[in-house]
Amino acid sequence: MALRNIRTEEDPVLKKVSRKVEVFDSRLHTLLDDMKDTLIKADGVGLAAVQIGILKRVVLIDVGDEHGFIEAINGEIIDRKGEQREIEGCLSLPEKSGITSRPMYVKFKAQDRNGNWFEAEGEGLFARCVCHEFDHLDGHVFTERLAPGERIRISRD
Ligand code: NI
């Protein structure tokens, strides 16, 4: 088990575009395992590799619903429907939250840790989390997706 440092807002890496994963080897598996440890320790619902400074298109999602724990590599949204406006936050922006506009439903395709393609779909928090994590792969954070008229809320522990 290995914890990695979660990069925060001031780190320019968060604005970079992650690269496609081409090799599904033990190095990738170590990255995935470390990301899982890091996500659990941080008590989050999703984590993208860029958040620990690795520019690879790798995300983890676990919103505590029937989807369970998902490793999604080279993921791409292939369908979206509706809209939801709910409060959102990010492990990399620990003091910020805001109401975003996201699709109510998404379907995506991605590869698992062995390179096999799969599809998954869901609504609500799951859809929100998929959009949020996939955004990280292109250098975007949720504060760029605020619903009309909404602003960033700042809170301190
Ligand atoms: Ni995030």
Side-chain angles (χ1 to χ4, degrees):
M1 135 151 198
L3 294 174
R4 309 270 191 117
N5 284 331
I6 295 178
R7 307 299 181 88
T8 50
E9 210 170 353
E10 57 279 6
D11 193 322
V13 76
L14 289 172
K15 294 199 166 66
K16 296 196 170 157
V17 176
S18 295
R19 290 180 293 272
K20 193 166 183 274
V21 173
E22 309 276 4
V23 183
F24 295 79
D25 60 0
S26 62
R27 280 189 65 197
L28 175 68
H29 297 173
T30 300
L31 170 65
L32 286 160
D33 294 341
D34 288 357
M35 283 175 65
K36 182 175 186 179
D37 292 339
T38 305
L39 178 61
I40 291 170
K41 180 76 165 44
D43 199 24
V45 294
L47 187 72
V50 62
Q51 292 181 272
I52 57 165
I54 308 289
L55 287 167
K56 290 185 174 175
R57 300 186 83 80
V58 174
V59 310
L60 304 184
I61 292 164
D62 186 358
V63 298
D65 69 0
E66 70 279 8
H67 293 90
F69 177 79
I70 294 183
E71 296 176 342
I73 297 152
N74 299 328
E76 194 183 321
I77 290 172
I78 52 175
D79 196 14
R80 63 185 79 210
K81 291 188 187 98
E83 192 206 9
Q84 57 175 320
R85 295 183 181 189
E86 296 289 342
I87 195 93
E88 202 166 316
C90 177
L91 293 174
S92 292
L93 283 64
E95 294 175 344
K96 292 185 177 172
S97 63
I99 293 176
T100 58
S101 172
R102 299 285 194 187
M104 178 54 81
Y105 160 94
V106 299
K107 183 179 190 180
F108 70 90
K109 62 173 186 175
Q111 285 167 283
D112 67 15
R113 62 166 56 206
N114 298 311
N116 301 308
W117 286 95
F118 67 94
E119 291 183 358
E121 62 185 343
E123 299 186 337
L125 177 58
F126 181 78
R128 212 150 74 232
C129 190
V130 169
C131 293
H132 178 119
E133 298 312 326
F134 285 15
D135 264 357
H136 274 302
L137 302 179
D138 291 315
H140 298 298
V141 293
F142 77 91
T143 51
E144 299 167 57
R145 309 290 186 215
L146 294 180
E150 293 296 332
R151 56 184 177 76
I152 298 165
R153 304 163 188 205
I154 310 285
S155 68
R156 289 173 206 284
D157 289 328

